[in-house]
Amino acid sequence: DAGVTQSPTHLIKTRGQQVTLRCSPKSGHDTVSWYQQALGQGPQFIFQYYEEEERQRGNFPDRFSGHQFPNYSSELNVNALLLGDSALYLCASSLWELQETQYFGPGTRLLVL
Amino acid sequence: AQTVTQSQPEMSVQEAETVTLSCTYDTSENNYYLFWYKQPPSRQMILVIRQEAYKQQNATENRFSVNFQKAAKSFSLKISDSQLGDTAMYFCAFTVGRGGGADGLTFGKGTHLIIQP
């Protein structure tokens, strides 16, 4: 049973650039949520996708956008990168109808220079 | 807005001891879920235990158990017979059930638990 996978593992970008992070949910799951975890902090909710639509959004600017594909995988895009965007980005998957617990992937470490 | 507070930034105990991590939360919702997640140095967030607010019985998973006090909005995690592999950051998290989907998780700042040999 494949768990949540994310790519890439690490990424280095410069200010102003754009980045795309990818996530494949756990087998059987249909909902993907994205979180940002700054160093020494708990994760913060960015947004959640179900049926290829953004269903909920946390307190993040429009520079953060996403997409969900028909196979339930998802992308997180961040435009006009700032130094403060350096963080661990976590993807979590769940089952919408059963309010299933969210299972996390290993994360993508983004460093903005 | 929901908030989750973990008041112990770091704890250290000897192997085989019992340790309790504290968590309090604030919400006006009635249908919600509470979780403890473990994040070892490998970064992978691992679910430890889950509690539904409507259940009075405290959840238990092997060496891990919770003390859920709904009126006090308290949700502590007890680890019995602690092992070196329990060394990790522990996060308390909260979500509201919506009868179809659930809110994004709200996390506390975490407690760094160190198990000494």
Side-chain angles (χ1 to χ4, degrees):
Chain A
D1 182 16
V4 181
T5 60
Q6 291 185 245
S7 63
T9 305
H10 295 85
L11 206 51
I12 300 175
K13 292 286 187 178
T14 56
R15 280 179 297 174
Q17 284 189 314
Q18 178 264 343
V19 68
T20 297
L21 310 182
R22 295 175 177 81
C23 171
S24 290
K26 180 179 168 68
S27 178
H29 283 181
D30 55 12
T31 303
V32 173
S33 301
W34 287 92
Y35 294 82
Q36 180 194 67
Q37 186 178 20
L39 200 59
Q41 301 293 319
Q44 293 206 330
F45 174 66
I46 302 175
F47 44 53
Q48 182 182 78
Y49 275 83
Y50 170 67
E51 291 187 330
E52 303 178 48
E53 291 184 10
E54 183 182 297
R55 298 291 177 155
Q56 295 192 40
R57 190 179 184 92
N59 188 26
F60 278 81
D62 292 345
R63 297 188 298 109
F64 290 77
S65 63
H67 188 78
Q68 186 180 35
F69 300 93
N71 66 354
Y72 308 119
S73 67
S74 176
E75 288 181 350
L76 163 66
N77 300 294
V78 187
N79 295 321
L81 284 168
L82 304 173
L83 296 180
D85 295 332
S86 294
L88 179 67
Y89 288 85
L90 296 167
C91 167
S93 75
S94 55
L95 197 57
W96 179 267
E97 289 184 357
L98 299 180
Q99 298 174 31
E100 197 79 10
T101 303
Q102 296 185 27
Y103 293 90
F104 284 82
T108 294
R109 173 74 68 190
L110 172 65
L111 178 61
V112 182
L113 301 176
Chain B
Q2 282 70 232
T3 60
V4 176
T5 302
Q6 294 179 250
S7 59
Q8 304 152 313
E10 185 170 289
M11 296 186 72
S12 180
V13 298
Q14 296 294 121
E15 195 176 4
E17 289 184 346
T18 294
V19 60
T20 298
L21 308 183
S22 301
C23 172
T24 58
Y25 61 94
D26 188 25
T27 183
S28 57
E29 302 282 349
N30 281 319
N31 180 24
Y32 56 89
Y33 301 79
L34 294 158
F35 307 87
W36 280 97
Y37 282 90
K38 167 186 175 181
Q39 188 176 40
S42 65
R43 307 178 328 206
Q44 179 105 35
M45 194 76 76
I46 301 165
L47 176 66
V48 175
I49 202 164
R50 154 186 161 136
Q51 175 79 45
E52 293 90 338
Y54 62 86
K55 289 188 177 179
Q56 292 187 345
Q57 186 173 6
N58 289 324
T60 299
E61 288 288 342
N62 300 315
R63 298 183 296 107
F64 300 88
S65 61
V66 299
N67 182 7
F68 174 46
Q69 301 289 329
K70 190 171 183 179
K73 295 181 181 175
S74 170
F75 183 61
S76 61
L77 174 69
K78 186 173 84 171
I79 305 174
S80 303
D81 185 28
S82 57
Q83 301 174 359
L84 296 179
D86 295 333
T87 293
M89 284 294 292
Y90 285 80
F91 292 97
C92 179
F94 170 102
T95 191
V96 178
R98 297 290 181 197
D103 284 0
L105 291 163
T106 299
F107 285 85
K109 291 188 175 181
T111 295
H112 184 205
L113 176 64
I114 301 168
I115 309 299
Q116 305 278 7

